[in-house]
Amino acid sequence: MTKGRKWVIAKRFEGAPKDGDLTLVEFELPDLKDGEVLLEAVCLTVDPYMRPYSRSLNIGDKMIGQQVARVVSSKSKDYSVGDHVLSYDGWTSHAITNAKMRKVQFPDNLPLSLALGVLGMTGMTAYNGLIDICNPKAGETVIVSGAAGAVGSVVGQIAKNLGCRVIGFAGSDAKLKYLKELGFDEAINYKKITDLDATIKSVAPKGVDVYFDNVGGEFSTTVIENMNNFGRVSACGAISQYNTVEQVKVPSIMGTVVSKRLKIQGFIVADFGQEKNEAAVKQNIEWIKQGKLKYREHVTKGFENMYKAFQELFTGANTGKAIVNV
């Protein structure tokens, strides 16, 4: 009998994730049935979206999420022992499944963990969230919030590859240095500015054409007020609001949306479909080969430290994609 460990909901989140909201428990897995495989986690992802999505979970439920796992036992004709797969089994060290899974096989010895990042959901989100929704054109000005995060850092590089002028906002000087290394034209520490509106007008004197929004809230309201006619907004995340207890009130932007004929679209990565998402991964691989797309992983070691890695997402501790290696 195989034993595993999993992180389950112990208390509903109220505000920022706190110690004790999730708990690590041990469990036993049954014997395999025909068509099933036994998976062992290799690396897992923690992402801000898990915070709002966890509202649908009940006390005792396993935390949601993706992982790259190794097949350690198989009664399936489709998977052999030693295969690496992309699994949606959540925060668990082991799982039994008969689900159809994508095998993780990358060229040039690229790390398996990239299936959770720039060559997975993160990269698909950045690529299609920018290109499919915003259709940026060479010479346009693009602002990215949360620019040093997993998605934002990829968005900025893609925009540069398309010939745009890219302005990134992040929360530390170390992150600004990273953004400049990635080729961002401007990198600004939002924690050090006192007048966001004036700052945007200074770095984007001709206005903003495209805004890739990872933070929401008052920050995004200010950016949108500085957009040009027919500007496009890709609403990817709202991390500034995920931990709020009371309803956040911000000035209405609808007058600006109407007068400037703005397009604002929220999305989830599944909206783009398999064909577009696979095309995104293919293009990102080519850019990596060409040195036009760089990536950084913020790695936490140990399955027992998953919740700590998750908490750090909301304190700004990570730069790039947050990964937990088992």
Side-chain angles (χ1 to χ4, degrees), residues 17-34:
K18 303 176 184 64
D19 292 346
D21 289 344
L22 267 62
T23 188
L24 182 60
V25 299
E26 191 175 88
F27 68 102
E28 291 186 347
L29 291 93
D31 294 332
L32 289 183
K33 298 176 182 176
D34 288 341

Side-chain angles (χ1 to χ4, degrees), residues 110 114 118-119 123 126-127 150-151 153-159 161 178 182 280-281 283-296:
L110 291 172
L114 296 191
V118 67
L119 301 182
Y127 184 95
V151 173
S153 59
V154 177
V155 168
Q157 293 180 83
I158 292 174
N161 289 341
Y178 175 57
L182 296 181
V281 172
Q283 179 60 71
N284 286 349
I285 288 175
E286 288 304 308
W287 276 331
I288 289 173
K289 289 180 179 179
Q290 296 165 10
K292 294 181 178 180
L293 183 57
K294 301 175 184 178
Y295 58 87
R296 180 182 291 185

Side-chain angles (χ1 to χ4, degrees), residues 236-282:
C236 178
I239 194 170
S240 71
Q241 298 168 267
Y242 290 161
N243 292 327
T244 55
V245 177
E246 297 181 358
Q247 188 73 25
V248 177
K249 294 182 179 180
V250 297
S252 173
I253 59 170
M254 294 313 298
T256 300
V257 172
V258 173
S259 64
K260 293 188 176 182
R261 288 85 86 201
L262 303 180
K263 172 187 175 182
I264 301 178
Q265 182 174 334
F267 69 97
I268 60 173
V269 71
D271 295 341
F272 304 113
Q274 182 176 349
E275 184 175 347
K276 285 184 177 180
N277 282 330
E278 288 180 350
V281 172
K282 183 177 180 180

Side-chain angles (χ1 to χ4, degrees), residues 53-203:
Y53 274 63
S54 68
R55 296 190 186 107
S56 64
L57 301 178
N58 296 315
I59 301 299
D61 283 351
K62 179 177 55 181
M63 190 62 169
I64 57 173
Q66 289 182 311
Q67 60 173 260
V68 173
R70 181 188 304 107
V71 176
V72 294
S73 183
S74 177
K75 287 191 175 182
S76 167
K77 60 181 177 59
D78 298 318
Y79 303 98
S80 301
V81 172
D83 284 347
H84 288 95
V85 297
L86 184 65
S87 166
Y88 292 82
D89 281 294
W91 291 21
T92 185
S93 66
H94 295 78
I96 289 175
T97 183
N98 61 3
K100 184 177 181 180
M101 298 171 290
R102 167 187 158 198
K103 293 184 180 180
V104 181
Q105 298 170 316
F106 294 136
D108 301 327
N109 295 316
L110 291 172
L112 295 173
S113 57
L114 296 191
L116 303 173
V118 67
L119 301 182
M121 185 166 63
T122 296
M124 298 169 188
T125 298
Y127 184 95
N128 285 317
L130 178 66
I131 293 176
D132 194 78
I133 292 177
C134 294
N135 189 26
K137 302 175 180 63
E140 289 191 319
T141 296
V142 177
I143 284 185
V144 184
S145 59
V151 173
S153 59
V154 177
V155 168
Q157 293 180 83
I158 292 174
K160 286 299 298 179
N161 289 341
L162 298 176
C164 299
R165 181 168 180 269
V166 182
I167 302 165
F169 285 83
S172 73
D173 290 343
K175 291 181 178 181
L176 302 192
K177 181 181 178 182
Y178 175 57
L179 295 183
K180 297 299 285 187
E181 291 171 358
L182 296 181
F184 281 65
D185 296 285
E186 300 281 351
I188 301 164
N189 187 341
Y190 71 88
K191 293 180 180 179
K192 289 188 173 182
I193 58 178
T194 57
D195 189 334
L196 177 60
D197 181 71
T199 299
I200 293 173
K201 286 179 167 59
S202 174
V203 296

